[in-house]
Amino acid sequence: MQPWLGEEEVAAVAEVIRSGWVAQGPKVAAFESAFASSQQAAYAVAVSNCTTALHLALVVAGIGPGDDVVVPSFSFVATANAPVYVGARTVFADVDATTGNLTPDTIAAAVTERTRAVIAADQGGVPLDLAALRAFCDPRGIVVIEDAACGAGSTAYGRPVGAGAEIAAWSFHPRKLLTTGEGGMLTTSRPEWADRARRLREHAMSVSAADRHASVLAPPESYDEVGFNYRMTDLQAAVGIVQLGRLPELVTRRRQLAKGYAAAIDELPGLRMVADPEWGTTNFQSCWVEVAPEHPLDREGLLVHLADAGISARRGIMAAHQHPAHAGRAGVPLPVTEHLTASTLILPVFHELTDGEQDRVIEALRSSATGERR
Ligand SMILES: *Cc1c(COP(=O)(O)O)cnc(C)c1O
């Protein structure tokens, strides 16, 4: 993975530095409006990263001690950590074998009368069937928090992912399509959640720092609850505004590269590449490939085969319940999660990957299928 950054980002940061206003201010506000309109969200609140967005989402949804939060183990560890921050209990659910995402069936197996929220990820960019999850959760009073960390540029039912969510968390880490170095966003359809998140991200002060610093005689502020410092800076937001403009091109190129990989992999026995589900399109943030038993090499063998050809692939998405931080938490069996985390790998894919470089990867995959060593 490599981020796609250019002179426009350099100029945007330079402008912020010259303006003298570098912390959260006008650029953050502009980035929030641009992001809300591009994702068809009612409200957007910029934060320091997606992990803090998930934390705030749980706080504003009123989740705390005594509550269970169902999450996929098959996700980056931040998804499983967030409930712990609010004193709730993380309960793992299994995922669908094709998409790698939670479904109403996998959630149903993990839900108890203590379940108050579900954090459901658009894993690797593959859109969730959020409508199906909400049809299960809404009548039970369970809040669905969409972990759209990987989701910018993916669609579900003809709209951007997150558009149908009561609350969603986004990441701008360089591993994702859009980047601000580090950065995150919370989007929500609820004005009271947006207001509270906006205050909580800056120490829960009643008057924003931007308003205080912009006034000669600052209005008095009060602190009505314990907040956090989860702010994004104007330096980051300026980069984010430029990056957002690049999103359509980023997605087009990703999908072109994914099509190239998929066409080659379709011909190779024992390999399956992630694909669009029926209800949407993925941004192919991750082109993950499942290595089936018919393949001459197992997943580790294929990683070594690629590495021997100078190609750096990665093990697939982690299973949080297999790590010491979350050991002992799995409530229900997670056979699909355990299978996918052991049998998948992620191919190199980024905006500036050339067709020639991709051909080298494809060639190495072909030679692995015939059992040849290079
Ligand atoms: C990357 C990622 C996160 C964490 O995002 P940060 O911005 O690094 O905090 C959370 N959830 C998922 C599914 C991710 O892929």
Side-chain angles (χ1 to χ4, degrees):
M1 176 56 193
Q2 282 174 17
W4 183 36
L5 294 160
E7 288 308 312
E8 295 89 337
E9 283 86 349
V10 174
V13 172
E15 184 201 319
V16 171
I17 291 173
R18 291 195 185 102
S19 80
W21 194 297
V22 290
Q24 179 186 291
K27 290 292 179 192
V28 166
F31 184 36
E32 288 173 339
S33 341
F35 193 80
S37 58
S38 88
Q39 304 311 308
Q40 297 179 22
Y43 304 95
V45 180
V47 289
S48 48
N49 55 65
C50 181
T51 306
T52 55
L54 289 170
H55 182 185
L56 288 184
L58 289 163
V59 175
V60 301
I63 309 303
D67 298 333
D68 277 2
V69 181
V70 171
V71 308
S73 167
F74 189 66
S75 185
F76 182 62
V77 72
T79 313
N81 287 346
V84 180
Y85 302 154
V86 296
R89 196 167 67 151
T90 296
V91 175
F92 292 120
D94 212 0
V95 291
D96 177 75
T98 309
T99 64
N101 287 333
L102 295 181
T103 68
D105 286 346
T106 68
I107 290 174
V111 160
T112 67
E113 67 286 354
R114 287 166 42 128
T115 308
R116 296 271 325 282
V118 169
I119 305 178
D122 299 293
Q123 197 47 258
V126 180
L128 278 171
D129 190 349
L130 185 74
L133 294 193
R134 290 196 60 179
F136 176 87
C137 292
D138 289 359
R140 290 170 172 79
I142 299 171
V143 178
V144 180
I145 297 168
E146 186 166 358
D147 180 346
C150 311
S154 298
T155 66
Y157 295 105
R159 300 170 72 196
V161 301
E166 222 174 348
I167 191 156
W170 308 78
S171 174
F172 308 121
H173 183 272
R175 171 77 185 81
K176 325 294 182 183
L177 260 70
L178 300 181
T179 189
T180 58
E182 294 275 2
M185 193 74 79
L186 198 73
T187 55
T188 175
S189 58
R190 292 201 180 211
E192 70 283 12
W193 286 2
D195 285 349
R196 186 155 173 233
R198 231 177 264 295
R199 283 194 305 276
L200 284 173
R201 75 170 160 187
E202 55 175 344
H203 309 287
M205 59 176 95
S206 60
V207 181
S208 78
D211 288 346
R212 279 189 301 114
H213 294 309
S215 43
V216 177
L217 176 62
E221 79 273 18
S222 72
Y223 300 85
D224 299 333
E225 60 179 321
V226 175
F228 311 96
N229 181 356
Y230 285 172
R231 286 176 296 216
M232 177 182 275
T233 68
D234 265 23
L235 294 163
Q236 293 165 305
V239 173
I241 293 166
V242 178
Q243 287 273 294
L244 196 56
R246 295 186 190 273
L247 185 58
E249 249 186 287
L250 277 160
V251 174
T252 302
R253 179 61 179 153
R254 282 307 169 99
R255 290 185 60 84
Q256 214 171 43
L257 287 166
K259 206 167 153 187
Y261 278 140
I265 287 168
D266 277 353
E267 313 278 297
L268 303 176
L271 295 180
R272 170 182 75 93
M273 195 177 106
V274 68
D276 288 334
E278 275 161 47
W279 53 85
T281 56
T282 167
N283 60 12
F284 287 102
Q285 182 200 283
S286 297
C287 279
W288 60 260
V289 173
E290 180 179 350
V291 186
E294 305 88 89
H295 196 270
L297 300 173
D298 63 6
R299 193 268 306 271
E300 300 301 317
L302 184 48
L303 281 171
V304 170
H305 179 86
L306 291 170
D308 285 349
I311 295 159
S312 180
R314 287 288 179 268
R315 284 181 192 82
I317 291 139
M318 64 179 287
H321 76 282
Q322 294 178 332
H323 291 259
H326 292 286
R329 281 197 217 278
V332 295
L334 305 169
V336 176
T337 297
E338 287 172 7
H339 169 74
L340 287 178
T341 199
S343 65
T344 54
L345 60 80
I346 298 174
L347 295 175
V349 62
F350 49 89
H351 192 76
E352 291 169 304
L353 186 78
T354 65
D355 292 343
E357 287 168 331
Q358 182 176 37
D359 289 345
R360 272 183 52 215
V361 180
I362 290 172
E363 211 25 68
L365 289 171
R366 285 210 182 101
S367 63
S368 80
T370 58
E372 287 165 34
R373 298 290 298 197
R374 290 164 66 97

